[in-house]
Amino acid sequence: NDPHGWIGLRFQLQPGGPPNDILLHINMRDLSNVLQQEAIGILGVNLIYAAFHQLATKESFFAGLAEDVVKKRIEIDYVDCRGPAFANWDRPTLLAYLVSAGLAEAVFFSSAGTSVPPTEVLRKKALVLAPGYFGHVDRGHGQIHTQMLAAGVQELRQELGQATSTPMGIFSMSAAPPEPGEPAPEIPDLLRRIEALLAQGGNVLLFRERELYTMTALVNRYTDAPVRFVAGLSLLIRAFNDPYFNLEGRRLEGLSRLFAQNVRIYCYPMLMADLQEVMKSVSRTGVEWSEKNGWVSAEQLRFAPPLGHLYAYLLASNFLVPMQSHAVPTG
């Protein structure tokens, strides 16, 4: 059971003035109906007060809205505002703000231009997620990102059989700092990268956290169908080298959460020259690779023991699925 719903308010800033509407989609985190009712009541009071006294900026409005209830008891993962009171607010910025401010675990951006809550997109769907930083927004890199995601969708469709419906492919980004200790991305930078992916016809999930296992946890709230990540080797190396200091079980706990409930990673090969260039900025120890015809696949990565034994187990158990170089764009 994943209780969720809608809450909204129509109000006037002066008698006889034009109406203003705000609509929120919320996920309730309390476990009992009574506590959920209480949390919604608090949110409703906050919403009325914020609409009349805290509309100067989106920061002040959502700070008032979140007081005493949001983050711990209620998650807001969609907002729609209409009317002159919100004339300077735009929906993409508001959605990104929900994540960066910690009010939502993830929000969804649609290439069709009609954003909806994540639950309406993910529910009961077989999914392929392509996580990444997507810092390059030029057309050439955009085509590579799009073709990588398409290759992952095709791989899952072959795995499930042609009789099933086509899996949904989504780009996944994080609003968290790329590395611990670094500043979090600014909202304009997030939107710049998101808009580049949308322009290529892709849909985007913006997550609050950067770890892949947090993405697994969120999508598994909405679907028990197969979930696959399609990831380049540089991201795979980062995932294995992350010490996961925020978890009691460290790396083993992080990987067990990542591969929960029918999750696998499609390992996308890279040109050796590209991998070498990317790895200049990655802190790594005990990682080597070989190449074949200029390409490096997951089977050609080698981690020093004892991590190498775990990597070999995940390959042999099909949790890591190497993709062949013929699926990689050569243009």
Side-chain angles (χ1 to χ4, degrees):
N1 183 29
D2 191 48
H4 64 100
W6 297 86
I7 183 170
L9 177 68
R10 170 168 287 184
F11 62 98
Q12 297 168 305
L13 293 180
Q14 59 274 335
N20 303 280
D21 297 328
I22 182 165
L23 182 65
L24 310 171
H25 182 266
I26 60 174
N27 299 306
M28 290 160 280
R29 313 314 297 165
D30 288 314
L31 298 180
S32 72
N33 290 344
V34 172
L35 290 176
Q36 291 167 13
Q37 292 168 9
E38 178 188 75
I40 291 175
I42 296 172
L43 179 64
V45 172
N46 289 352
L47 178 59
I48 294 172
Y49 185 86
F52 287 99
H53 300 284
Q54 296 172 308
L55 270 179
T57 65
K58 63 181 183 300
E59 290 81 6
S60 62
F61 178 81
F62 283 102
L65 197 62
E67 187 174 354
D68 296 328
V69 63
V70 177
K71 296 187 181 181
K72 294 182 178 179
R73 303 182 64 183
I74 286 181
E75 174 190 9
I76 302 173
D77 60 6
Y78 178 83
V79 59
D80 187 20
C81 301
R82 301 177 184 178
F86 307 107
N88 297 322
W89 297 14
D90 67 276
R91 185 185 297 159
T93 299
L94 291 178
L95 291 178
Y97 180 78
L98 291 178
V99 174
S100 64
L103 306 181
E105 290 189 40
V107 295
F108 178 74
F109 293 84
S110 170
S111 60
T114 53
S115 296
V116 294
T119 180
E120 296 190 15
V121 178
L122 305 178
R123 186 165 298 280
K124 298 184 179 181
K125 296 279 183 60
L127 299 169
V128 176
L129 302 180
Y133 185 78
F134 305 108
H136 298 286
V137 297
D138 57 277
R139 183 174 180 82
H141 281 88
Q143 289 178 338
I144 293 175
H145 298 150
T146 300
Q147 292 179 39
M148 181 178 72
L149 182 56
V153 171
Q154 181 62 25
E155 187 88 11
L156 180 54
R157 188 170 187 180
Q158 292 175 357
E159 181 184 331
L160 298 178
Q162 296 295 330
T164 61
S165 59
T166 301
M168 184 173 189
I170 305 176
F171 293 108
S172 303
M173 282 177 46
S174 173
E179 297 291 340
E182 295 185 5
E186 299 288 339
I187 288 180
D189 176 53
L190 291 173
L191 293 178
R192 176 183 65 89
R193 290 182 273 140
I194 290 171
E195 288 167 2
L197 295 171
L198 297 178
Q200 293 289 331
N203 299 314
V204 180
L205 274 170
L206 178 65
F207 286 86
R208 183 169 62 197
E209 307 294 344
R210 68 181 181 89
E211 291 84 3
L212 296 185
Y213 67 78
T214 62
M215 301 180 187
T216 292
L218 183 126
V219 297
N220 278 340
R221 281 164 50 180
Y222 304 119
T223 183
D224 56 6
V227 176
R228 303 290 183 261
F229 291 94
V230 56
L233 298 187
S234 58
L235 188 146
L236 189 66
I237 292 171
R238 286 188 176 97
F240 269 80
N241 275 293
D242 193 324
Y244 298 99
F245 287 136
N246 58 318
L247 300 176
E248 289 186 11
R250 299 296 191 266
R251 182 179 288 114
L252 286 178
E253 182 177 349
L255 292 175
S256 68
R257 290 189 183 190
L258 169 61
F259 291 110
Q261 193 172 316
N262 202 12
V263 174
R264 297 176 184 170
I265 294 180
Y266 293 147
C267 306
Y268 202 69
M270 293 183 68
L271 282 168
M272 185 176 68
D274 291 341
L275 180 59
Q276 289 173 330
E277 183 64 27
V278 170
M279 294 308 295
K280 290 178 181 179
S281 61
V282 177
S283 175
R284 61 183 178 91
T285 56
V287 183
E288 298 179 346
W289 55 81
S290 57
E291 57 87 19
K292 182 178 181 181
N293 298 325
W295 293 96
V296 181
S297 72
E299 295 169 309
Q300 294 165 300
L301 276 182
R302 295 181 299 276
F303 290 84
L307 186 57
H309 302 311
L310 176 59
Y311 183 77
Y313 166 77
L314 293 174
L315 277 175
S317 302
N318 217 31
F319 286 111
L320 299 177
V321 181
M323 299 179 73
Q324 301 303 311
S325 60
H326 64 74
V328 182
T330 58

